[in-house]
């Protein structure tokens, strides 16, 4: 049912019930009682905007003795909308005066009847006004409790987030202290090796190892938020440096890409994901298939970017790793899902390995329903 129809039907009842009560009442000692009561009943819709005006129409009806029904409704409305109890009490007193003064001046009655008439009038007029005021107080208390609950919930969320941030900071410091110590030792010992190496090849390899250790330490610090680095994060523009650095480590890389320039039209988050996909794939090749040929392909397909890193059969046995429980591909899959892409990895029949990813040009936001950040799919197989 539409709201306006409910309002109309409600007002019909509000006016109709006092009118019916007036017409069914016994005659009083005042000839103007019925007309004024009917006028007061018909004026009740005014209470929605001007409750005091509706009560003014009720005063002549109260003086005539038939203004009880409209006065009860008008006083209830005054109790609901008044911010001060003084206003409510004042209107109750005005109503009592309008009803009792004409009655007690014109009608002769014993003192007990006068006392009972006053008591009945006080209860009959003050009761609706007090009830309306109490309903309003209850509504305000309910709103206040809702605000308190919301504030309490926000405070608990803030405390939880603060605790999480503190724990993340503690973990970041521990990672920085542990990994940073070893990376620094690698850089220092590489510099010492470069200074004492008898041949140029060893000296060059030691210097490259020192550079890699320093870059790893800088990236770790930036990722953990421990330094205020104004440099932009790694992305598409850094792919050539990455490929060059890996080639110096002994891989043969063939690159095929059709992203012009620095890929300015590609979302920065997608650009970082592309860089990390290629970096992780080449890292796996270096670990599991050293000296093998690698083909890196970067192709734009409409609103998507296709990344392919395929390596052939290793030409020499891979060194036995110190740990075999790496989670590089799992972390990479999570990064791809975060930008709304898909990742597929598989072992090739010739013993090689393939990493295929499809990413959107623009990363989805949290409020997009068409492409959720958790919508990426992965089909991961064992690393070679």
């Amino acid at each position: 049912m539409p709201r306006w129809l409910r309002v109309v039907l409600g007002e019909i009842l509000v006016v109709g019930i006092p009118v019916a009560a007036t017409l069914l009442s016994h005659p009083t000692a005042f000839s103007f009682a019925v007309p004024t009561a009917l006028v007061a009943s018909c004026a009740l819709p005014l209470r929605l905007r001007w409750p005091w005006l509706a009560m003014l129409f009720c005063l002549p009806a109260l003086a005539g003795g038939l203004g009880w029904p409209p006065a009860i409704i008008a006083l209830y409305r005054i109790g609901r909308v008044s911010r001060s109890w003084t206003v409510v009490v004042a209107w109750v007193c005005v109503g009592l005066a309008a009803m009792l003064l004409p009655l007690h001046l014109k009608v002769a009655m014993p003192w007990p009847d006068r006392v009972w008439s006053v008591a009945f009038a006080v209860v009959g007029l003050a009761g609706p006004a007090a009830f309306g005021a109490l309903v309003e107080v209850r509504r305000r208390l309910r709103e206040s409790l809702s605000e308190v609950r919301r504030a309490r919930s926000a405070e608990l969320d803030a405390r939880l987030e603060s605790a999480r941030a503190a724990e993340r900071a503690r973990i970041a410091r521990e990672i920085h202290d542990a990994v940073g110590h070893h990376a620094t030792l690698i850089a220092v010992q590489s510099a010492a090796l470069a200074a004492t190496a008898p041949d140029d090849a060893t000296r060059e390899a030691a210097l490259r190892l020192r550079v890699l250790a320093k870059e790893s330490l800088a990236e770790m610090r930036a990722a953990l938020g421990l330094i205020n680095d104004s440099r932009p994060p790694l992305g598409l523009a850094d792919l050539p440096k990455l490929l060059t650095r890996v080639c110096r480590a002994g891989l043969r890389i063939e690159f095929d890409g059709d992203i012009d320039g620095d890929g300015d039209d590609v979302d920065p988050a997608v650009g970082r994901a592309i860089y990390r996909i290629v970096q992780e794939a080449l890292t796996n090749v270096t670990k599991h298939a050293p000296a093998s040929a690698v083909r890196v392909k970067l192709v734009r397909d409409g609103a998507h970017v296709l990344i392919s890193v395929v390596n052939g059969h290793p030409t020499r046995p891979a060194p036995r790793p110190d740990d075999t429980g790496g989670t590089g591909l799992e972390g990479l899959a999570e990064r791809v899902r975060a930008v709304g892409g898909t990742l597929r990895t598989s072992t090739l029949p010739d013993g090689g390995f393939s990493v295929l990813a499809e990413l959107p040009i623009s990363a989805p936001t949290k409020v997009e329903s068409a492409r959720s950040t958790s919508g990426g799919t992965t089909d991961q197989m064992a690393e070679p």
Side-chain angles (χ1 to χ4, degrees), residues 236-301:
L236 281 178
D238 301 284
L239 270 182
K241 296 180 181 178
L242 172 65
L243 299 178
T244 301
R245 187 165 63 244
V246 176
C247 285
R248 290 175 179 173
L251 291 183
R252 292 169 294 149
I253 301 177
E254 178 183 352
F255 178 73
D256 182 10
D258 63 353
I259 300 293
D260 298 331
D262 295 337
D264 294 334
D265 58 337
V266 179
D267 190 278
V270 176
R272 291 192 293 271
I274 294 174
Y275 181 90
R276 294 304 182 188
I277 290 171
V278 176
Q279 183 186 47
E280 180 64 24
L282 294 179
T283 300
N284 284 338
V285 173
T286 303
K287 290 167 55 178
H288 304 290
S292 64
V294 184
R295 179 178 177 85
V296 179
K297 192 172 184 180
L298 191 64
V299 180
R300 180 196 298 271
D301 182 16

Side-chain angles (χ1 to χ4, degrees), residues 235-382:
L236 281 178
D238 301 284
L239 270 182
K241 296 180 181 178
L242 172 65
L243 299 178
T244 301
R245 187 165 63 244
V246 176
C247 285
R248 290 175 179 173
L251 291 183
R252 292 169 294 149
I253 301 177
E254 178 183 352
F255 178 73
D256 182 10
D258 63 353
I259 300 293
D260 298 331
D262 295 337
D264 294 334
D265 58 337
V266 179
D267 190 278
V270 176
R272 291 192 293 271
I274 294 174
Y275 181 90
R276 294 304 182 188
I277 290 171
V278 176
Q279 183 186 47
E280 180 64 24
L282 294 179
T283 300
N284 284 338
V285 173
T286 303
K287 290 167 55 178
H288 304 290
S292 64
V294 184
R295 179 178 177 85
V296 179
K297 192 172 184 180
L298 191 64
V299 180
R300 180 196 298 271
D301 182 16
H304 293 78
V305 178
L306 305 179
I307 306 99
S308 170
V309 181
V310 181
N311 64 275
H313 185 74
T315 58
R316 66 171 184 263
R320 184 177 181 83
D322 294 334
D323 59 327
T324 58
T327 59
L329 291 180
E330 287 79 0
L332 195 61
E334 182 63 27
R335 180 184 291 272
V336 170
R337 280 195 296 268
V339 294
T342 59
L343 177 70
R344 297 182 182 275
T345 61
S346 60
T347 303
L348 302 179
D350 61 353
F353 196 73
S354 171
V355 177
L356 303 175
E358 180 179 354
L359 305 179
I361 294 292
S362 300
T365 63
K366 292 184 178 181
V367 297
E368 290 183 7
S369 58
R371 191 173 66 241
S372 170
T373 57
S374 61
T377 61
T378 61
D379 180 16
Q380 293 183 206
M381 300 180 67

Side-chain angles (χ1 to χ4, degrees), residues 45-76:
L46 295 174
R47 81 196 187 286
L48 298 177
R49 187 171 181 85
W50 303 289
W52 57 269
L53 183 58
M55 187 59 192
L56 285 178
F57 279 101
C58 294
L59 295 180
L62 285 173
L66 296 179
W68 284 98
I72 289 174
I73 297 175
L75 286 172
Y76 172 80

Side-chain angles (χ1 to χ4, degrees), residues 198-220:
D199 58 284
D200 294 338
T202 303
R203 186 180 301 107
E204 183 179 354
L207 291 176
R208 285 202 304 269
L209 183 60
R210 180 174 181 269
V211 171
L212 289 175
K214 293 177 64 177
E215 290 182 355
S216 300
L217 184 60
E219 285 193 28
M220 181 195 66

Side-chain angles (χ1 to χ4, degrees), residues 77-303:
R77 181 65 181 177
I78 289 176
R80 284 294 308 271
V81 301
S82 296
R83 297 289 181 178
S84 173
W85 280 92
T86 305
V87 176
V88 178
V89 172
W91 277 109
V92 171
C93 292
V94 171
L96 289 173
M99 188 191 72
L100 294 176
L101 288 178
L103 178 64
H104 285 263
L105 292 176
K106 186 172 183 180
V107 178
M109 61 180 72
W111 281 104
D113 291 344
R114 291 181 185 276
V115 173
W116 279 111
S117 66
V118 172
F120 179 79
V122 171
V123 173
L125 294 182
F131 182 69
L134 290 176
V135 170
E136 180 64 17
V137 169
R138 181 178 180 273
R139 184 189 66 81
R140 294 176 190 174
L141 287 176
R142 187 168 59 248
E143 291 180 353
S144 299
L145 289 176
S146 299
E147 289 293 334
V148 170
R149 282 194 291 267
R150 284 194 291 268
R152 179 62 176 170
S153 178
E155 181 184 1
L156 291 177
D157 292 341
R159 288 182 179 180
L160 180 60
E161 185 60 31
S162 177
R164 289 175 177 172
E167 182 65 15
R168 285 194 294 266
R170 185 187 65 81
I171 295 174
R173 287 192 298 269
E174 291 183 359
I175 294 176
H176 174 264
D177 293 342
V179 180
H181 172 72
H182 295 292
T184 302
L185 289 180
I186 294 174
V188 172
Q189 293 181 12
S190 299
L193 178 60
T196 59
D199 58 284
D200 294 338
T202 303
R203 186 180 301 107
E204 183 179 354
L207 291 176
R208 285 202 304 269
L209 183 60
R210 180 174 181 269
V211 171
L212 289 175
K214 293 177 64 177
E215 290 182 355
S216 300
L217 184 60
E219 285 193 28
M220 181 195 66
R221 288 174 173 172
L224 296 178
L226 298 177
I227 60 174
N228 184 16
D229 196 349
S230 60
R231 295 175 299 175
L234 298 175
L236 281 178
D238 301 284
L239 270 182
K241 296 180 181 178
L242 172 65
L243 299 178
T244 301
R245 187 165 63 244
V246 176
C247 285
R248 290 175 179 173
L251 291 183
R252 292 169 294 149
I253 301 177
E254 178 183 352
F255 178 73
D256 182 10
D258 63 353
I259 300 293
D260 298 331
D262 295 337
D264 294 334
D265 58 337
V266 179
D267 190 278
V270 176
R272 291 192 293 271
I274 294 174
Y275 181 90
R276 294 304 182 188
I277 290 171
V278 176
Q279 183 186 47
E280 180 64 24
L282 294 179
T283 300
N284 284 338
V285 173
T286 303
K287 290 167 55 178
H288 304 290
S292 64
V294 184
R295 179 178 177 85
V296 179
K297 192 172 184 180
L298 191 64
V299 180
R300 180 196 298 271
D301 182 16

